[in-house]
Amino acid sequence: MMLVAVVVVLLSAIVITPIAVGVMAVRKVRWRTRAQRHGLRTEGRCIRVETVRRSGGGYATSTRRYFLFEFITHEGRQVRFEDAAPNTTVPGDVLTVSYLPEYPERATVALPGDRTAQRELGCLLVFLGFALVIALVVAGVMAGVLSLFAAGA
């Protein structure tokens, strides 16, 4: 009986995890799109760029850049936020910032014609769809094995 409970919990985690990650990704893209389409726009300045390199464990070295921006809202409030930007961005560069007045700290860099978030979401949802299908197949196999054990007991 204890084994059945453990398997049920494992199966739940295997199926729920891809769904939860997908929901978070969709929310992030919707938020970014809403700020870009309906937000206020102003000039922001890149104030810091940080490059992080990760290597080891037999994997290829990966590099990621983090950009810190600062802008003044229409109400005069100074706000800093992190966001993606073109790799050519350096401290001091001025870019257009889009933000919703109720959440200026969740601003985004407004690049013309930028569809990066939508492309990333599409790729992520395809991956999560495959992960969910695999999780359901594994869950079905495990349920079949459990029923064999239960029938034999």
Side-chain angles (χ1 to χ4, degrees):
M1 206 56 172
M2 178 74 156
L3 178 64
V4 172
V6 169
V7 171
V8 168
V9 168
L10 264 170
L11 291 177
S12 298
I14 289 171
V15 172
I16 291 172
T17 300
I19 294 170
V21 170
V23 167
M24 290 185 325
V26 168
R27 289 182 73 197
K28 181 179 179 183
V29 170
R30 286 185 67 209
W31 179 265
R32 184 178 186 87
T33 303
R34 186 171 160 230
Q36 296 253 349
R37 288 185 181 161
H38 307 291
L40 301 175
R41 291 184 181 244
T42 188
E43 286 189 345
R45 183 173 305 278
C46 177
I47 58 172
R48 187 173 67 216
V49 178
E50 185 178 333
T51 303
V52 177
R53 287 183 177 77
R54 295 191 179 137
S55 63
Y59 296 103
T61 301
S62 66
T63 303
R64 175 142 183 181
R65 298 183 81 193
Y66 295 91
F67 300 90
L68 182 64
F69 296 95
E70 181 177 73
F71 70 99
I72 307 286
T73 66
H74 292 289
E75 294 81 30
R77 181 175 159 210
Q78 185 176 6
V79 178
R80 289 185 176 188
F81 70 99
E82 284 188 17
D83 196 16
N87 281 333
T88 56
T89 304
V90 296
D93 283 356
V94 175
L95 293 116
T96 302
V97 172
S98 184
Y99 71 96
L100 296 172
E102 58 271 20
Y103 299 107
E105 60 281 346
R106 294 179 74 180
T108 182
V109 173
L111 300 172
D114 184 20
R115 298 268 183 223
T116 303
Q118 287 83 359
R119 284 193 306 271
E120 287 175 354
L121 175 64
C123 292
L124 181 63
L125 290 178
V126 167
F127 170 77
L128 290 173
F130 282 122
L132 185 60
V133 167
I134 290 169
L136 291 172
V137 168
V138 168
V141 168
M142 290 178 80
V145 169
L146 269 180
S147 67
L148 287 176
F149 278 119

